[in-house]
Amino acid sequence: FIITREFELKPGEVFNRNKVQRDLQRVFGLNIFEDIKLSFKPGQDPRKVIVSVDVTERNTGSVAAGAGISSASGLFGTLSYQEQNFGGNNQKLGAEVQLGIREFLFDLSFTDPWIANDPYRTSYTVNAFRRRTISLIFDGGDTEVELPNGDRPRVNRIGSGISFVRPLARNPFVRSEWTASLGLQYQ
């Protein structure tokens, strides 16, 4: 269904090469396929043809790790995971963790780029996070503050959010000039 929902050409319609070309460009634009091939097979009725789309999926997952040192965080390590085709459904899953001497941060997100059965390509993203930063109010200048443990005051944010995005074109197969978004974040 990930491929067929990108096709404007529907079963039973007259084959239109330009329309199919645009359909294939949309499928390739998902960035989850390495190769896409179109083939034709004769149907039972000689006036009809069976159109087959053969795709080769690409590797869509990645893992990254790193380490560093900064005046704000001290020594820290980072590990992240990204999957662009989670469950084979063109959904995106991302996770990042940063662990340091003075902090623990994480960000977890999930995106569905086209909610099932929605005719207008509405997408949603949910995320959960924990971020810790040095308060800019107390960083440098006359108001420099150091805590008894030698650290500086920090702002700790824990929360989650959800956002919805919908293109404002009536036809879901054309690029919309305008989009609407609605989101809520609690922290």
Side-chain angles (χ1 to χ4, degrees):
F1 77 96
I2 299 301
I3 297 166
T4 56
R5 73 181 178 186
E6 296 292 336
F7 270 71
E8 187 175 10
L9 183 70
K10 300 297 180 204
E13 289 184 2
V14 175
F15 183 83
N16 180 319
R17 185 175 184 84
N18 292 331
K19 189 185 280 190
V20 170
Q21 186 67 32
R22 290 189 304 268
D23 293 345
L24 291 174
Q25 287 172 345
R26 269 192 305 280
V27 171
F28 199 72
L30 296 175
N31 290 325
I32 58 175
F33 300 111
E34 199 169 283
D35 192 22
I36 301 171
K37 294 178 184 165
L38 194 67
S39 62
F40 304 98
K41 297 175 186 165
Q44 291 179 353
D45 183 341
R47 296 172 296 163
K48 295 184 178 182
V49 66
I50 297 171
V51 179
S52 296
V53 180
D54 298 315
V55 297
T56 306
E57 278 189 65
R58 72 171 38 162
N59 185 356
T60 56
S62 65
V63 176
I69 188 167
S70 75
S71 60
S73 305
L75 185 62
F76 66 90
T78 302
L79 181 65
S80 67
Y81 171 76
Q82 300 289 323
E83 176 56 62
Q84 301 298 314
N85 191 20
F86 185 66
N89 293 318
N90 191 32
Q91 298 166 329
K92 295 167 181 55
L93 178 68
E96 182 174 0
V97 174
Q98 183 173 318
L99 182 60
I101 294 173
R102 297 185 194 145
E103 63 189 15
F104 171 70
L105 310 170
F106 75 85
D107 196 339
L108 180 65
S109 66
F110 174 81
T111 300
D112 187 345
W114 191 342
I115 297 173
N117 299 322
D118 177 65
Y120 301 106
R121 289 188 184 253
T122 303
S123 69
Y124 74 93
T125 299
V126 293
N127 74 319
F129 60 87
R130 180 182 191 267
R131 300 180 187 118
R132 189 172 180 214
T133 58
I134 292 178
S135 172
L136 297 177
I137 295 170
F138 298 110
D139 190 27
D142 296 334
T143 58
E144 181 68 35
V145 172
E146 281 199 29
L147 300 173
N149 66 358
D151 204 355
R152 295 182 269 175
R154 296 176 185 264
V155 176
N156 193 25
R157 299 178 192 276
I158 298 173
S160 63
I162 185 166
S163 62
F164 294 90
V165 176
R166 174 180 276 183
L168 295 178
R170 289 198 182 273
N171 183 350
F173 300 106
V174 299
R175 183 173 292 265
S176 178
E177 291 184 26
W178 295 88
T179 60
S181 63
L182 174 67
L184 175 67
Q185 186 178 71
Y186 177 80
Q187 61 182 349

PDB file of all heavy atoms in Angstrom, residues 78-113:
ATOM      1  N   THR A  78      27.620  10.144  22.687  1.00  0.00           N
ATOM      2  CA  THR A  78      26.328  10.222  22.008  1.00  0.00           C
ATOM      3  C   THR A  78      26.114   8.957  21.191  1.00  0.00           C
ATOM      4  O   THR A  78      27.036   8.465  20.539  1.00  0.00           O
ATOM      5  CB  THR A  78      26.280  11.441  21.068  1.00  0.00           C
ATOM      6  OG1 THR A  78      26.521  12.615  21.825  1.00  0.00           O
ATOM      7  CG2 THR A  78      24.939  11.563  20.392  1.00  0.00           C
ATOM      8  N   LEU A  79      24.897   8.453  21.216  1.00  0.00           N
ATOM      9  CA  LEU A  79      24.512   7.310  20.406  1.00  0.00           C
ATOM     10  C   LEU A  79      23.157   7.639  19.779  1.00  0.00           C
ATOM     11  O   LEU A  79      22.240   8.075  20.473  1.00  0.00           O
ATOM     12  CB  LEU A  79      24.394   6.048  21.268  1.00  0.00           C
ATOM     13  CG  LEU A  79      24.027   4.753  20.550  1.00  0.00           C
ATOM     14  CD1 LEU A  79      25.127   4.353  19.572  1.00  0.00           C
ATOM     15  CD2 LEU A  79      23.803   3.642  21.569  1.00  0.00           C
ATOM     16  N   SER A  80      23.042   7.450  18.458  1.00  0.00           N
ATOM     17  CA  SER A  80      21.766   7.723  17.796  1.00  0.00           C
ATOM     18  C   SER A  80      21.421   6.608  16.822  1.00  0.00           C
ATOM     19  O   SER A  80      22.302   5.934  16.280  1.00  0.00           O
ATOM     20  CB  SER A  80      21.793   9.072  17.072  1.00  0.00           C
ATOM     21  OG  SER A  80      22.681   9.037  15.993  1.00  0.00           O
ATOM     22  N   TYR A  81      20.121   6.450  16.620  1.00  0.00           N
ATOM     23  CA  TYR A  81      19.579   5.453  15.700  1.00  0.00           C
ATOM     24  C   TYR A  81      18.491   6.124  14.871  1.00  0.00           C
ATOM     25  O   TYR A  81      17.635   6.820  15.418  1.00  0.00           O
ATOM     26  CB  TYR A  81      18.999   4.272  16.484  1.00  0.00           C
ATOM     27  CG  TYR A  81      18.217   3.296  15.631  1.00  0.00           C
ATOM     28  CD1 TYR A  81      18.874   2.406  14.803  1.00  0.00           C
ATOM     29  CD2 TYR A  81      16.825   3.279  15.646  1.00  0.00           C
ATOM     30  CE1 TYR A  81      18.165   1.507  14.006  1.00  0.00           C
ATOM     31  CE2 TYR A  81      16.110   2.389  14.861  1.00  0.00           C
ATOM     32  CZ  TYR A  81      16.787   1.508  14.057  1.00  0.00           C
ATOM     33  OH  TYR A  81      16.082   0.626  13.271  1.00  0.00           O
ATOM     34  N   GLN A  82      18.520   5.925  13.563  1.00  0.00           N
ATOM     35  CA  GLN A  82      17.505   6.462  12.662  1.00  0.00           C
ATOM     36  C   GLN A  82      17.034   5.341  11.744  1.00  0.00           C
ATOM     37  O   GLN A  82      17.854   4.622  11.174  1.00  0.00           O
ATOM     38  CB  GLN A  82      18.076   7.599  11.796  1.00  0.00           C
ATOM     39  CG  GLN A  82      18.595   8.777  12.562  1.00  0.00           C
ATOM     40  CD  GLN A  82      17.489   9.583  13.197  1.00  0.00           C
ATOM     41  OE1 GLN A  82      16.415   9.749  12.612  1.00  0.00           O
ATOM     42  NE2 GLN A  82      17.717  10.064  14.396  1.00  0.00           N
ATOM     43  N   GLU A  83      15.728   5.204  11.607  1.00  0.00           N
ATOM     44  CA  GLU A  83      15.149   4.253  10.663  1.00  0.00           C
ATOM     45  C   GLU A  83      14.138   5.021   9.820  1.00  0.00           C
ATOM     46  O   GLU A  83      13.178   5.578  10.348  1.00  0.00           O
ATOM     47  CB  GLU A  83      14.469   3.102  11.400  1.00  0.00           C
ATOM     48  CG  GLU A  83      13.748   2.123  10.488  1.00  0.00           C
ATOM     49  CD  GLU A  83      14.622   1.514   9.417  1.00  0.00           C
ATOM     50  OE1 GLU A  83      15.597   0.827   9.746  1.00  0.00           O
ATOM     51  OE2 GLU A  83      14.336   1.751   8.226  1.00  0.00           O
ATOM     52  N   GLN A  84      14.373   5.057   8.500  1.00  0.00           N
ATOM     53  CA  GLN A  84      13.524   5.825   7.584  1.00  0.00           C
ATOM     54  C   GLN A  84      12.353   5.027   7.032  1.00  0.00           C
ATOM     55  O   GLN A  84      11.475   5.596   6.388  1.00  0.00           O
ATOM     56  CB  GLN A  84      14.366   6.360   6.417  1.00  0.00           C
ATOM     57  CG  GLN A  84      15.508   7.250   6.840  1.00  0.00           C
ATOM     58  CD  GLN A  84      15.031   8.497   7.547  1.00  0.00           C
ATOM     59  OE1 GLN A  84      14.097   9.154   7.099  1.00  0.00           O
ATOM     60  NE2 GLN A  84      15.636   8.818   8.670  1.00  0.00           N
ATOM     61  N   ASN A  85      12.350   3.709   7.275  1.00  0.00           N
ATOM     62  CA  ASN A  85      11.270   2.861   6.763  1.00  0.00           C
ATOM     63  C   ASN A  85      10.876   1.859   7.847  1.00  0.00           C
ATOM     64  O   ASN A  85      10.910   0.653   7.649  1.00  0.00           O
ATOM     65  CB  ASN A  85      11.710   2.159   5.483  1.00  0.00           C
ATOM     66  CG  ASN A  85      10.570   1.476   4.763  1.00  0.00           C
ATOM     67  OD1 ASN A  85       9.404   1.785   4.972  1.00  0.00           O
ATOM     68  ND2 ASN A  85      10.897   0.524   3.911  1.00  0.00           N
ATOM     69  N   PHE A  86      10.481   2.364   8.984  1.00  0.00           N
ATOM     70  CA  PHE A  86      10.171   1.545  10.149  1.00  0.00           C
ATOM     71  C   PHE A  86       9.008   0.600   9.845  1.00  0.00           C
ATOM     72  O   PHE A  86       7.945   1.027   9.397  1.00  0.00           O
ATOM     73  CB  PHE A  86       9.823   2.452  11.335  1.00  0.00           C
ATOM     74  CG  PHE A  86       9.593   1.725  12.618  1.00  0.00           C
ATOM     75  CD1 PHE A  86      10.628   1.059  13.246  1.00  0.00           C
ATOM     76  CD2 PHE A  86       8.341   1.701  13.205  1.00  0.00           C
ATOM     77  CE1 PHE A  86      10.425   0.388  14.435  1.00  0.00           C
ATOM     78  CE2 PHE A  86       8.120   1.034  14.388  1.00  0.00           C
ATOM     79  CZ  PHE A  86       9.169   0.374  15.008  1.00  0.00           C
ATOM     80  N   GLY A  87       9.218  -0.685  10.051  1.00  0.00           N
ATOM     81  CA  GLY A  87       8.187  -1.686   9.808  1.00  0.00           C
ATOM     82  C   GLY A  87       7.816  -1.851   8.348  1.00  0.00           C
ATOM     83  O   GLY A  87       6.792  -2.450   8.041  1.00  0.00           O
ATOM     84  N   GLY A  88       8.628  -1.286   7.433  1.00  0.00           N
ATOM     85  CA  GLY A  88       8.307  -1.361   6.010  1.00  0.00           C
ATOM     86  C   GLY A  88       7.128  -0.486   5.621  1.00  0.00           C
ATOM     87  O   GLY A  88       6.534  -0.667   4.571  1.00  0.00           O
ATOM     88  N   ASN A  89       6.777   0.497   6.469  1.00  0.00           N
ATOM     89  CA  ASN A  89       5.599   1.334   6.242  1.00  0.00           C
ATOM     90  C   ASN A  89       5.933   2.787   5.945  1.00  0.00           C
ATOM     91  O   ASN A  89       5.077   3.654   6.113  1.00  0.00           O
ATOM     92  CB  ASN A  89       4.672   1.274   7.461  1.00  0.00           C
ATOM     93  CG  ASN A  89       4.069  -0.081   7.639  1.00  0.00           C
ATOM     94  OD1 ASN A  89       3.648  -0.710   6.677  1.00  0.00           O
ATOM     95  ND2 ASN A  89       4.039  -0.562   8.862  1.00  0.00           N
ATOM     96  N   ASN A  90       7.168   3.080   5.572  1.00  0.00           N
ATOM     97  CA  ASN A  90       7.616   4.443   5.277  1.00  0.00           C
ATOM     98  C   ASN A  90       7.451   5.366   6.492  1.00  0.00           C
ATOM     99  O   ASN A  90       7.288   6.556   6.347  1.00  0.00           O
ATOM    100  CB  ASN A  90       6.876   5.012   4.060  1.00  0.00           C
ATOM    101  CG  ASN A  90       7.499   6.309   3.574  1.00  0.00           C
ATOM    102  OD1 ASN A  90       8.696   6.511   3.671  1.00  0.00           O
ATOM    103  ND2 ASN A  90       6.683   7.209   3.060  1.00  0.00           N
ATOM    104  N   GLN A  91       7.459   4.792   7.677  1.00  0.00           N
ATOM    105  CA  GLN A  91       7.399   5.590   8.895  1.00  0.00           C
ATOM    106  C   GLN A  91       8.816   5.780   9.410  1.00  0.00           C
ATOM    107  O   GLN A  91       9.693   4.952   9.171  1.00  0.00           O
ATOM    108  CB  GLN A  91       6.529   4.891   9.946  1.00  0.00           C
ATOM    109  CG  GLN A  91       5.097   4.735   9.473  1.00  0.00           C
ATOM    110  CD  GLN A  91       4.295   3.778  10.323  1.00  0.00           C
ATOM    111  OE1 GLN A  91       4.825   2.825  10.877  1.00  0.00           O
ATOM    112  NE2 GLN A  91       3.003   4.017  10.407  1.00  0.00           N
ATOM    113  N   LYS A  92       9.036   6.874  10.129  1.00  0.00           N
ATOM    114  CA  LYS A  92      10.372   7.207  10.598  1.00  0.00           C
ATOM    115  C   LYS A  92      10.447   7.079  12.114  1.00  0.00           C
ATOM    116  O   LYS A  92       9.547   7.525  12.825  1.00  0.00           O
ATOM    117  CB  LYS A  92      10.738   8.615  10.172  1.00  0.00           C
ATOM    118  CG  LYS A  92      10.838   8.734   8.652  1.00  0.00           C
ATOM    119  CD  LYS A  92      10.884  10.168   8.194  1.00  0.00           C
ATOM    120  CE  LYS A  92      10.959  10.279   6.698  1.00  0.00           C
ATOM    121  NZ  LYS A  92       9.937   9.605   5.956  1.00  0.00           N
ATOM    122  N   LEU A  93      11.521   6.466  12.587  1.00  0.00           N
ATOM    123  CA  LEU A  93      11.767   6.317  14.008  1.00  0.00           C
ATOM    124  C   LEU A  93      13.171   6.826  14.281  1.00  0.00           C
ATOM    125  O   LEU A  93      14.120   6.471  13.568  1.00  0.00           O
ATOM    126  CB  LEU A  93      11.653   4.847  14.425  1.00  0.00           C
ATOM    127  CG  LEU A  93      11.936   4.536  15.888  1.00  0.00           C
ATOM    128  CD1 LEU A  93      10.846   5.141  16.774  1.00  0.00           C
ATOM    129  CD2 LEU A  93      12.028   3.044  16.114  1.00  0.00           C
ATOM    130  N   GLY A  94      13.299   7.672  15.272  1.00  0.00           N
ATOM    131  CA  GLY A  94      14.605   8.211  15.614  1.00  0.00           C
ATOM    132  C   GLY A  94      14.796   8.203  17.123  1.00  0.00           C
ATOM    133  O   GLY A  94      13.856   8.451  17.883  1.00  0.00           O
ATOM    134  N   ALA A  95      16.006   7.896  17.557  1.00  0.00           N
ATOM    135  CA  ALA A  95      16.335   7.907  18.979  1.00  0.00           C
ATOM    136  C   ALA A  95      17.760   8.430  19.125  1.00  0.00           C
ATOM    137  O   ALA A  95      18.643   8.059  18.353  1.00  0.00           O
ATOM    138  CB  ALA A  95      16.227   6.511  19.567  1.00  0.00           C
ATOM    139  N   GLU A  96      17.943   9.290  20.100  1.00  0.00           N
ATOM    140  CA  GLU A  96      19.277   9.813  20.380  1.00  0.00           C
ATOM    141  C   GLU A  96      19.445   9.912  21.890  1.00  0.00           C
ATOM    142  O   GLU A  96      18.547  10.362  22.601  1.00  0.00           O
ATOM    143  CB  GLU A  96      19.471  11.189  19.757  1.00  0.00           C
ATOM    144  CG  GLU A  96      20.865  11.731  19.982  1.00  0.00           C
ATOM    145  CD  GLU A  96      21.126  13.033  19.257  1.00  0.00           C
ATOM    146  OE1 GLU A  96      20.222  13.534  18.570  1.00  0.00           O
ATOM    147  OE2 GLU A  96      22.248  13.547  19.397  1.00  0.00           O
ATOM    148  N   VAL A  97      20.599   9.459  22.362  1.00  0.00           N
ATOM    149  CA  VAL A  97      20.929   9.509  23.780  1.00  0.00           C
ATOM    150  C   VAL A  97      22.301  10.143  23.905  1.00  0.00           C
ATOM    151  O   VAL A  97      23.215   9.814  23.147  1.00  0.00           O
ATOM    152  CB  VAL A  97      20.951   8.095  24.402  1.00  0.00           C
ATOM    153  CG1 VAL A  97      21.425   8.141  25.841  1.00  0.00           C
ATOM    154  CG2 VAL A  97      19.592   7.450  24.313  1.00  0.00           C
ATOM    155  N   GLN A  98      22.413  11.065  24.840  1.00  0.00           N
ATOM    156  CA  GLN A  98      23.711  11.670  25.143  1.00  0.00           C
ATOM    157  C   GLN A  98      23.934  11.529  26.641  1.00  0.00           C
ATOM    158  O   GLN A  98      23.127  11.988  27.444  1.00  0.00           O
ATOM    159  CB  GLN A  98      23.753  13.131  24.739  1.00  0.00           C
ATOM    160  CG  GLN A  98      25.106  13.770  24.983  1.00  0.00           C
ATOM    161  CD  GLN A  98      25.180  15.172  24.419  1.00  0.00           C
ATOM    162  OE1 GLN A  98      24.700  15.415  23.319  1.00  0.00           O
ATOM    163  NE2 GLN A  98      25.773  16.066  25.152  1.00  0.00           N
ATOM    164  N   LEU A  99      25.011  10.884  26.994  1.00  0.00           N
ATOM    165  CA  LEU A  99      25.335  10.634  28.384  1.00  0.00           C
ATOM    166  C   LEU A  99      26.674  11.294  28.680  1.00  0.00           C
ATOM    167  O   LEU A  99      27.645  11.084  27.946  1.00  0.00           O
ATOM    168  CB  LEU A  99      25.403   9.127  28.637  1.00  0.00           C
ATOM    169  CG  LEU A  99      25.682   8.665  30.049  1.00  0.00           C
ATOM    170  CD1 LEU A  99      24.596   9.159  30.995  1.00  0.00           C
ATOM    171  CD2 LEU A  99      25.768   7.152  30.108  1.00  0.00           C
ATOM    172  N   GLY A 100      26.689  12.103  29.710  1.00  0.00           N
ATOM    173  CA  GLY A 100      27.913  12.799  30.058  1.00  0.00           C
ATOM    174  C   GLY A 100      28.120  12.848  31.553  1.00  0.00           C
ATOM    175  O   GLY A 100      27.289  12.381  32.339  1.00  0.00           O
ATOM    176  N   ILE A 101      29.231  13.427  31.945  1.00  0.00           N
ATOM    177  CA  ILE A 101      29.549  13.569  33.360  1.00  0.00           C
ATOM    178  C   ILE A 101      28.485  14.410  34.054  1.00  0.00           C
ATOM    179  O   ILE A 101      28.086  14.118  35.175  1.00  0.00           O
ATOM    180  CB  ILE A 101      30.951  14.200  33.524  1.00  0.00           C
ATOM    181  CG1 ILE A 101      32.010  13.234  33.008  1.00  0.00           C
ATOM    182  CG2 ILE A 101      31.211  14.569  34.973  1.00  0.00           C
ATOM    183  CD1 ILE A 101      33.401  13.819  32.957  1.00  0.00           C
ATOM    184  N   ARG A 102      28.001  15.451  33.388  1.00  0.00           N
ATOM    185  CA  ARG A 102      27.045  16.374  34.000  1.00  0.00           C
ATOM    186  C   ARG A 102      25.641  16.295  33.426  1.00  0.00           C
ATOM    187  O   ARG A 102      24.796  17.104  33.782  1.00  0.00           O
ATOM    188  CB  ARG A 102      27.541  17.807  33.841  1.00  0.00           C
ATOM    189  CG  ARG A 102      28.830  18.085  34.526  1.00  0.00           C
ATOM    190  CD  ARG A 102      29.151  19.553  34.409  1.00  0.00           C
ATOM    191  NE  ARG A 102      30.521  19.787  34.779  1.00  0.00           N
ATOM    192  CZ  ARG A 102      31.291  20.688  34.216  1.00  0.00           C
ATOM    193  NH1 ARG A 102      30.831  21.442  33.254  1.00  0.00           N
ATOM    194  NH2 ARG A 102      32.531  20.836  34.616  1.00  0.00           N
ATOM    195  N   GLU A 103      25.391  15.359  32.513  1.00  0.00           N
ATOM    196  CA  GLU A 103      24.061  15.365  31.914  1.00  0.00           C
ATOM    197  C   GLU A 103      23.670  14.028  31.332  1.00  0.00           C
ATOM    198  O   GLU A 103      24.515  13.177  31.050  1.00  0.00           O
ATOM    199  CB  GLU A 103      23.971  16.426  30.826  1.00  0.00           C
ATOM    200  CG  GLU A 103      24.903  16.205  29.662  1.00  0.00           C
ATOM    201  CD  GLU A 103      24.924  17.391  28.717  1.00  0.00           C
ATOM    202  OE1 GLU A 103      24.459  18.463  29.079  1.00  0.00           O
ATOM    203  OE2 GLU A 103      25.412  17.215  27.611  1.00  0.00           O
ATOM    204  N   PHE A 104      22.353  13.881  31.173  1.00  0.00           N
ATOM    205  CA  PHE A 104      21.746  12.764  30.468  1.00  0.00           C
ATOM    206  C   PHE A 104      20.630  13.353  29.621  1.00  0.00           C
ATOM    207  O   PHE A 104      19.692  13.944  30.144  1.00  0.00           O
ATOM    208  CB  PHE A 104      21.184  11.727  31.443  1.00  0.00           C
ATOM    209  CG  PHE A 104      20.366  10.666  30.766  1.00  0.00           C
ATOM    210  CD1 PHE A 104      20.978   9.729  29.944  1.00  0.00           C
ATOM    211  CD2 PHE A 104      18.997  10.622  30.925  1.00  0.00           C
ATOM    212  CE1 PHE A 104      20.232   8.764  29.297  1.00  0.00           C
ATOM    213  CE2 PHE A 104      18.232   9.662  30.282  1.00  0.00           C
ATOM    214  CZ  PHE A 104      18.857   8.726  29.475  1.00  0.00           C
ATOM    215  N   LEU A 105      20.749  13.230  28.293  1.00  0.00           N
ATOM    216  CA  LEU A 105      19.760  13.780  27.369  1.00  0.00           C
ATOM    217  C   LEU A 105      19.240  12.652  26.497  1.00  0.00           C
ATOM    218  O   LEU A 105      19.975  11.737  26.152  1.00  0.00           O
ATOM    219  CB  LEU A 105      20.386  14.843  26.462  1.00  0.00           C
ATOM    220  CG  LEU A 105      21.206  15.946  27.120  1.00  0.00           C
ATOM    221  CD1 LEU A 105      21.926  16.750  26.060  1.00  0.00           C
ATOM    222  CD2 LEU A 105      20.314  16.833  27.939  1.00  0.00           C
ATOM    223  N   PHE A 106      17.970  12.753  26.108  1.00  0.00           N
ATOM    224  CA  PHE A 106      17.453  11.816  25.116  1.00  0.00           C
ATOM    225  C   PHE A 106      16.366  12.493  24.300  1.00  0.00           C
ATOM    226  O   PHE A 106      15.740  13.457  24.742  1.00  0.00           O
ATOM    227  CB  PHE A 106      16.930  10.514  25.751  1.00  0.00           C
ATOM    228  CG  PHE A 106      15.604  10.647  26.443  1.00  0.00           C
ATOM    229  CD1 PHE A 106      14.409  10.530  25.740  1.00  0.00           C
ATOM    230  CD2 PHE A 106      15.544  10.876  27.802  1.00  0.00           C
ATOM    231  CE1 PHE A 106      13.190  10.646  26.375  1.00  0.00           C
ATOM    232  CE2 PHE A 106      14.323  10.992  28.445  1.00  0.00           C
ATOM    233  CZ  PHE A 106      13.143  10.877  27.734  1.00  0.00           C
ATOM    234  N   ASP A 107      16.181  11.979  23.104  1.00  0.00           N
ATOM    235  CA  ASP A 107      15.109  12.436  22.221  1.00  0.00           C
ATOM    236  C   ASP A 107      14.653  11.227  21.417  1.00  0.00           C
ATOM    237  O   ASP A 107      15.446  10.564  20.765  1.00  0.00           O
ATOM    238  CB  ASP A 107      15.613  13.539  21.287  1.00  0.00           C
ATOM    239  CG  ASP A 107      14.472  14.316  20.641  1.00  0.00           C
ATOM    240  OD1 ASP A 107      13.349  13.790  20.584  1.00  0.00           O
ATOM    241  OD2 ASP A 107      14.706  15.452  20.204  1.00  0.00           O
ATOM    242  N   LEU A 108      13.373  10.932  21.504  1.00  0.00           N
ATOM    243  CA  LEU A 108      12.774   9.810  20.796  1.00  0.00           C
ATOM    244  C   LEU A 108      11.638  10.359  19.953  1.00  0.00           C
ATOM    245  O   LEU A 108      10.795  11.110  20.461  1.00  0.00           O
ATOM    246  CB  LEU A 108      12.243   8.782  21.800  1.00  0.00           C
ATOM    247  CG  LEU A 108      11.577   7.537  21.258  1.00  0.00           C
ATOM    248  CD1 LEU A 108      12.579   6.685  20.490  1.00  0.00           C
ATOM    249  CD2 LEU A 108      10.973   6.726  22.398  1.00  0.00           C
ATOM    250  N   SER A 109      11.593  10.016  18.657  1.00  0.00           N
ATOM    251  CA  SER A 109      10.531  10.538  17.797  1.00  0.00           C
ATOM    252  C   SER A 109      10.044   9.471  16.821  1.00  0.00           C
ATOM    253  O   SER A 109      10.787   8.563  16.448  1.00  0.00           O
ATOM    254  CB  SER A 109      11.005  11.770  17.017  1.00  0.00           C
ATOM    255  OG  SER A 109      12.017  11.411  16.110  1.00  0.00           O
ATOM    256  N   PHE A 110       8.786   9.618  16.424  1.00  0.00           N
ATOM    257  CA  PHE A 110       8.152   8.723  15.462  1.00  0.00           C
ATOM    258  C   PHE A 110       7.310   9.579  14.524  1.00  0.00           C
ATOM    259  O   PHE A 110       6.542  10.435  14.977  1.00  0.00           O
ATOM    260  CB  PHE A 110       7.252   7.706  16.176  1.00  0.00           C
ATOM    261  CG  PHE A 110       6.465   6.851  15.232  1.00  0.00           C
ATOM    262  CD1 PHE A 110       7.045   5.745  14.631  1.00  0.00           C
ATOM    263  CD2 PHE A 110       5.149   7.148  14.932  1.00  0.00           C
ATOM    264  CE1 PHE A 110       6.321   4.957  13.748  1.00  0.00           C
ATOM    265  CE2 PHE A 110       4.413   6.368  14.059  1.00  0.00           C
ATOM    266  CZ  PHE A 110       5.004   5.268  13.465  1.00  0.00           C
ATOM    267  N   THR A 111       7.456   9.352  13.214  1.00  0.00           N
ATOM    268  CA  THR A 111       6.688  10.105  12.218  1.00  0.00           C
ATOM    269  C   THR A 111       6.003   9.143  11.256  1.00  0.00           C
ATOM    270  O   THR A 111       6.626   8.226  10.735  1.00  0.00           O
ATOM    271  CB  THR A 111       7.613  11.050  11.413  1.00  0.00           C
ATOM    272  OG1 THR A 111       8.228  11.964  12.302  1.00  0.00           O
ATOM    273  CG2 THR A 111       6.839  11.809  10.357  1.00  0.00           C
ATOM    274  N   ASP A 112       4.715   9.382  11.047  1.00  0.00           N
ATOM    275  CA  ASP A 112       3.966   8.688  10.004  1.00  0.00           C
ATOM    276  C   ASP A 112       3.650   9.740   8.946  1.00  0.00           C
ATOM    277  O   ASP A 112       2.851  10.640   9.193  1.00  0.00           O
ATOM    278  CB  ASP A 112       2.681   8.091  10.565  1.00  0.00           C
ATOM    279  CG  ASP A 112       1.953   7.203   9.561  1.00  0.00           C
ATOM    280  OD1 ASP A 112       2.281   7.266   8.358  1.00  0.00           O
ATOM    281  OD2 ASP A 112       1.058   6.455   9.987  1.00  0.00           O
ATOM    282  N   PRO A 113       4.289   9.668   7.762  1.00  0.00           N
ATOM    283  CA  PRO A 113       4.149  10.727   6.768  1.00  0.00           C
ATOM    284  C   PRO A 113       2.802  10.767   6.049  1.00  0.00           C
ATOM    285  O   PRO A 113       2.525  11.712   5.313  1.00  0.00           O
ATOM    286  CB  PRO A 113       5.271  10.448   5.784  1.00  0.00           C
ATOM    287  CG  PRO A 113       5.497   8.992   5.885  1.00  0.00           C
ATOM    288  CD  PRO A 113       5.199   8.628   7.315  1.00  0.00           C
TER     289      PRO A 113
END
